[in-house]
């Protein structure tokens, strides 16, 4: 642990006051977007817009320069042309600012000698007593203090266990939106861009030490100091899970990394092997990253690889078998005594009771599904349950829409009854349960189905059950969780 | 071509009248769901519910038996207990019925000697002059005649070029819903279940001969006659694209196939090699299947593998490079003259103009994006354009929601302007353009963003541009299309 880094980063994440240098009244400019975002999310400290033109923006007095601000300023956000950044940083030093984020681009990532030179100068100034994020970044989102990135004005104000570091601001902007509905909450999310001062190594070290972070996730393109990154990961081994998307592993991707943040991508095989060695959960897309975080949030460390797959619609169970086996999970046949116990409830009409359990009907009554859940709960050969539910309420939904049924939609849904069954089975047998609710609504005229889907998902999530849209995604996320805990147990056992 | 099969299958797809044997007034029963579905979708022929109990269901007179029906019956839908199916088929023969679908399960898929025996008997009866779909299926969806599967009462009534055959009814039910919003329209969709009479081979042959089908897609678990299937595929080579999800290729999956429809899964490597040889587009999930159909519908055969990726948010361009290269596509650097022409419009601030083109800002003005589109259009080294657009209107959306802006939402969106640019660039340079619009809305309280997303997607689709939610999915679908047409050109050249 490293308490000093927590202290050093305090002004970046918990400033009492901040200045926006380059604040603007023009809605499309970064200098307006970031100011509005921080005001809208509800930052509690003092906000000082700075612009030589003065005036008033969003009801706040604009100062002509940093020095004109009467009070102390902890933190400065820079959205001014690249050639003026250096001077502004020197002003920051004079004003006693401790943390800076530079949204401005036009530095190392241009590949031009001037850009590279300018960025080196920023790094030099940082050594005189500033911690700098960026340049070419979207900044910090810290729900606890009310800081947010551009454009993150509607991110959740709830704080949570996920610490996220990203060389890409665009990914932060996406992730903050997607996270909202999934109940994924952040301690901090940091877009660090080119990383002229604070980089992936520092942020990894910070999140390891930060008492408010228990799951670390990140998107990195190049690494400023590979050996240091690996040392920090080695120290973290067995402590906090690290979910990492290392992009730029192909030849073209590596070239794009160079253009994007000016860092070197590095050889694919070397990174993959080194990360594996360090116990890192490696992902290759935003979707896989989000799903892995989601699994770590909602599933216990004891989730095991022997899966009972229960649902209706046969392709789904066959697909489940293929998909789980490809990911190293198994779908073992129920034990004979469990099968014998089940049989009386299921006269053999189109039902496979072996596992995957295909109840042959996409509209399965929850009472019937519950019997199979109990059996899978009881079976000592099954670790984890995946319940697939499709279409049950579409039929009723449509009838309702067409005025063929007057009852409110919630009456038609089997989901509340199934949720109760999930809770009781989980309670009784202690096995994790994952829901797969395919989201088949695409029609612009059927958005109410989407609304209903989200409502049901929220209910499951509130009760602690993760909900995935496809079985492939559920299986992949589960396999990441299992691989991580298996590796962790193996190294603890040595 | 095989005109006789088109004629033979006429009563299955275009019946003038149909009987539902086992029609029921109980809403949860198949005998009610299928009757209601066919009425709701608006089948235009005569519908005769049959049930010994008589009475009236959904306003229709119920006949005590098939023989009591006064008029002719072309087609019968059976939803009665398995042991009574044989007798009903004999009644059908006496009544002059030509086509039957058997929704009932409890046959070969149970694995029991009785089930297998009963199914063999059905196959025998078929030879006396019936074409039978099922048992253990969800039936036929044919928008042209107004037939639909269970539960497909709200499927589109528009007809289209996709012929879909599936051993799984659940997958048909999903696909019909998902297809709606994507503009994927079907000539016929057939869930054939255990396939006691009509199987994958017959349906493949039918779709090859059917003048209304130009894209064939299917989900098969086992195949009743592998060599025949391969012969039909060989005949089709170079004619209609066949997109196939062969499930049950893993050991567990193969076991599940056995339980599901009682067919043998077969060895993975053998199938994969044989399908490849036959020019089949092979997919492994419902999502991949849908995306491939979608690409064949919206993209021209000339879409090439050298992709220009244009958008904002760097992770997206780096990820694009990785993702495209992994799928055998390339992201070539723009040619020097094109680059020179672009430079004046983009003072080098955070922009990579090489390709992927990262405009460094998730809120790119369409006028700027258009310049890069023109350049990629002009560059002879680029075949296909992928445009990534994120978040542009979220910011405005939220302000609008919060009452900070009174203008209607559509005013904020850059999409109409971008759509015009896409149309003009496509027109001018003749290169296909694919949109990637990440769908980042998950929050139950932000469904209006989803509504807006679908509206924009519909606009692009109506203009002939496909819209994918992730770049990975776009790239995978494109790579399927390219591989198919390359193989086709290669064999034509021999």
């Amino acid at each position: 642990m490293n308490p000093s880094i927590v202290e050093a980063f305090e002004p970046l994440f918990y400033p009492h006051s901040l200045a926006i240098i380059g604040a603007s009244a023009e809605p499309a400019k970064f200098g307006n977007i970031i100011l509005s975002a921080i005001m809208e999310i509800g930052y509690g400290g003092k906000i000082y817009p700075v612009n030589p033109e003065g005036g008033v923006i969003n009801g706040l007095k604009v100062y002509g320069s940093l020095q004109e601000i009467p009070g102390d300023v902890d933190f400065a956000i820079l959205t001014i042309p690249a050639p003026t950044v250096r001077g502004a940083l020197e002003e920051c030093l004079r004003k006693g600012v401790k943390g800076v984020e530079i949204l401005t681009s036009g530095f190392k990532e241009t590949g031009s000698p001037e850009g590279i030179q300018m960025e080196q100068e920023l790094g030099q100034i940082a050594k005189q007593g500033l911690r700098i994020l960026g340049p070419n970044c979207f900044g910090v989102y810290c729900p606890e203090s009310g800081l947010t990135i551009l454009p993150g004005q509607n991110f959740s104000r709830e704080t949570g266990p996920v610490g996220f570091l990203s060389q890409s601001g665009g990914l932060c902007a996406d992730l903050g939106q997607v996270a909202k509905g999934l109940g994924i909450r952040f301690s901090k999310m940091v877009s660090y861009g080119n990383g002229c001062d604070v980089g992936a190594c520092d942020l990894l070290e910070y999140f390891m030490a930060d008492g408010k972070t228990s799951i670390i996730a990140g998107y990195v393109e190049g690494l400023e100091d590979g050996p240091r990154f690996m040392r920090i990961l080695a120290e973290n081994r067995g402590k906090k899970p690290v979910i990492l998307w290392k992009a730029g592993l192909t030849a073209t991707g590596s070239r794009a990394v160079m253009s994007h943040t000016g860092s070197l991508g590095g050889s694919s095989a070397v990174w993959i092997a080194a990360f594996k060695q360090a116990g890192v959960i490696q992902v290759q897309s935003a979707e896989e990253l989000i799903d892995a975080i989601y699994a770590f949030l909602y599933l216990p460390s004891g989730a095991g690889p022997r899966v009972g797959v229960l649902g209706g619609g046969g392709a789904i169970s066959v697909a489940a078998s293929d998909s789980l086996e490809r990911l190293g999970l198994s779908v073992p046949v129920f034990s004979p005594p469990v099968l014998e116990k089940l049989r009386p409830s299921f006269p053999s009409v189109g039902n496979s009771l072996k596992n995957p359990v295909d109840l042959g009907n996409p509209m399965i009554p929850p009472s019937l599904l519950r019997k199979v859940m109990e059996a899978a709960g009881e079976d000592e050969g099954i670790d984890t349950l995946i319940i697939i539910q499709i279409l049950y309420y579409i039929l009723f939904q449509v009838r309702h829409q067409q005025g063929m049924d007057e009852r409110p939609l919630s009456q038609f849904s089997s989901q509340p009854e199934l949720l109760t069954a999930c809770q009781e089975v989980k309670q009784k047998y202690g096995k994790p349960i994952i829901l797969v609710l395919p989201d088949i609504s695409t029609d612009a005229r059927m958005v109410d189905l989407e609304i209903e889907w989200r409502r049901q998902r929220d209910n499951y999530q509130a009760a602690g059950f993760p909900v995935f849209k496809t079985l492939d995604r559920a299986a992949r996320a589960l396999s990441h969780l299992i691989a991580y805990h298996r590796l962790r147990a193996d190294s603890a056992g040595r």
Side-chain angles (χ1 to χ4, degrees), chain A residues 169-309:
Chain A
L171 183 65
C172 291
D174 277 6
L175 191 59
Q177 300 294 346
V178 175
K180 282 181 84 172
L182 303 179
I184 296 175
R185 296 293 177 263
F186 297 88
S187 57
K188 286 104 193 166
M189 176 190 271
V190 185
S191 151
Y192 65 94
N194 293 4
C196 78
D197 173 35
V198 174
C201 291
D202 305 303
L203 290 166
L204 180 59
E205 219 166 21
Y206 174 82
F207 284 135
M208 275 178 60
D210 180 28
K212 282 154 185 163
T213 299
S214 59
I215 297 170
I216 304 171
Y219 170 82
V220 294
E221 296 179 343
L223 282 165
E224 71 279 15
D225 184 350
R228 184 177 157 216
F229 197 76
M230 298 314 301
R231 274 198 310 278
I232 304 168
L233 284 174
E235 275 170 47
N236 177 60
R237 219 184 133 103
K239 290 172 189 160
K240 300 179 183 179
V242 177
I243 301 162
L244 206 61
W245 180 10
K246 171 71 180 76
L249 289 180
T250 62
T252 327
S254 176
R255 195 189 75 217
V257 166
M258 185 60 223
S259 317
H260 183 221
T261 48
S263 26
L264 290 171
S267 136
S268 163
V270 171
W271 286 120
I272 291 171
F275 288 143
K276 192 173 176 191
Q277 173 73 19
V280 165
I281 302 116
Q282 297 182 61
V283 299
Q284 288 193 340
S285 69
E287 187 180 271
E288 191 177 358
L289 177 78
I290 290 157
D291 288 348
I293 297 172
Y294 189 65
F296 275 84
L297 275 176
Y298 284 91
L299 294 172
S301 59
R306 300 173 305 169
V307 182
V309 180

Side-chain angles (χ1 to χ4, degrees), chain A residues 342-491:
Chain A
L342 267 179
R343 259 186 230 291
S345 315
F346 299 88
S348 62
V349 268
N351 300 333
S352 153
L353 291 174
K354 289 172 181 168
N355 188 26
V357 180
D358 170 16
L359 294 170
N361 183 340
M363 291 154 285
I364 316 157
S367 57
L368 215 60
L369 193 52
R370 189 199 180 106
K371 287 203 167 103
V372 193
M373 287 166 66
E374 291 269 358
E378 211 172 298
D379 196 317
E380 287 179 5
I382 302 290
D383 304 315
T384 302
L385 275 66
I386 294 183
I387 317 284
I388 305 178
Q389 274 274 293
I390 52 163
L391 282 179
Y392 187 75
Y393 45 89
I394 286 195
L395 176 77
F396 303 106
Q397 174 105 17
V398 172
R399 289 191 178 175
H400 180 79
Q401 280 174 354
Q402 298 180 341
M404 294 177 67
D405 207 309
E406 296 295 318
R407 286 170 292 174
L409 280 178
S410 53
Q411 288 251 333
F412 300 118
S413 170
S414 68
Q415 301 303 316
E417 201 180 332
L418 183 58
L419 175 54
T420 307
C422 287
Q423 287 172 308
E424 289 173 10
V425 168
K426 187 183 172 190
Q427 175 81 18
K428 192 163 167 192
Y429 302 101
K431 295 180 185 176
I433 300 177
I434 298 169
L435 277 293
V436 174
L437 304 180
D439 178 17
I440 56 172
S441 150
T442 58
D443 192 332
R445 289 154 304 177
M446 280 187 71
V447 182
D448 46 356
L449 181 60
E450 178 72 24
I451 296 170
E452 180 68 9
W453 189 93
R454 292 186 189 187
R455 205 176 63 76
Q456 306 284 6
R457 179 208 56 195
D458 287 353
N459 290 343
Y460 283 110
Q461 281 179 181
F465 299 103
V467 178
F468 290 89
K469 287 188 175 181
T470 73
L471 185 101
D472 281 346
R473 292 177 65 174
R476 188 177 57 183
L478 176 64
S479 75
H480 279 310
L481 180 83
I482 291 170
Y484 173 77
H485 287 293
R486 186 179 284 160
L487 200 72
R488 197 176 165 176
D490 284 356
S491 29

